[in-house]
Structure formats: structure tokens, C-alpha cells
Amino acid sequence: MARIGTVVLGASDVRRAAAFWKAALGYVERDPATDDDWVVLVPAEGPGVGLALGLSGTPVQEVPRVHLDLYTEEQDAEVDRLIALGAARVDWDLYPDDPDFVVLADPEGNRFCVIDTTHG
């Protein structure tokens, strides 16, 4: 049976994206960076899914088919922390009534959600 090892995101500035995601997730580079077009990030401690960032000239999708969900019990504080790191709020017209998620974008414009795990 296969398992997810790494999620890959495109970035126009791989170093900027890596700096954001390392700070956001507490990840480190799996291998020392040798160029500016590819990096794999992994949890600093213990097992977990990796996040790879690859150089891409493809525009960011307004409604991406694949995105990251970050889980937290302190959604407001986590959203504030991520915005301070360089994320931006996304004007999202598709919120349901009483959502358990907030849509943000990383400095590259990649959309991701911050999920409130305490939400009913």
C-alpha cells in the first residue's frame, strides 16, 4: 500500500516560500539547499508528511484543486501568527454558514486553510 510522503507546491521564489513554510510548520530542509528551484521540507522532529517546493511559472489557481489544511485548536491565534509570517487573508466567497476554516494564502499566493479542530 502506498502512502503520502511529500506534498509538492509550486513557487516563483522557492527560497521565500521555504522560509515561510519552515516558520509556519516548524519544518527544516531535508538536505542542504544546492539551488533555488527545489527544496524538500520535513518536520524538525519526528515523522510526518514532507512539503516540497518547486520552481513554477504557472499562475496560482483562484480555487485550487489541491490545498493544505492546517489543524489547530487555537484558530484565531494561529491565523494571526501565519499572517505575521507573511500569509494573507483570502476574500473567499465559498464559505459555508458557520465555517470551521479560514482561507489564507502563503507569500506565493498558494491557498491553504486553517481548520479549527474545536469547532462543533
Side-chain angles (χ1 to χ4, degrees):
M1 173 85 46
R3 62 182 173 81
I4 295 174
T6 305
V7 175
V8 181
L9 293 179
S12 60
D13 183 335
V14 172
R15 292 286 130 215
R16 177 177 67 176
F20 172 80
W21 286 110
K22 287 191 302 188
L25 300 175
Y27 275 32
V28 296
E29 293 182 18
R30 183 179 65 191
D31 301 309
T34 58
D35 54 46
D36 290 334
D37 61 358
W38 181 258
V39 65
V40 178
L41 307 177
V42 294
E45 296 181 22
V49 174
L51 178 64
L53 302 160
L55 187 63
S56 175
T58 304
V60 173
Q61 293 177 313
E62 289 291 319
V63 180
R65 293 183 69 171
V66 176
H67 67 273
L68 300 178
D69 282 348
L70 307 183
Y71 287 28
T72 181
E73 294 180 357
E74 298 176 358
Q75 185 183 54
D76 291 339
E78 189 63 16
V79 166
D80 290 344
R81 183 183 78 84
L82 293 165
I83 288 172
L85 291 173
R89 288 187 181 270
V90 172
D91 187 19
W92 193 254
D93 295 336
L94 302 174
Y95 279 114
D97 292 336
D98 193 28
D100 65 346
F101 64 97
V102 173
V103 181
L104 299 178
D106 73 6
E108 290 288 313
N110 293 307
R111 309 294 167 82
F112 65 96
C113 294
V114 180
I115 309 296
D116 179 357
T117 59
T118 67
H119 189 273

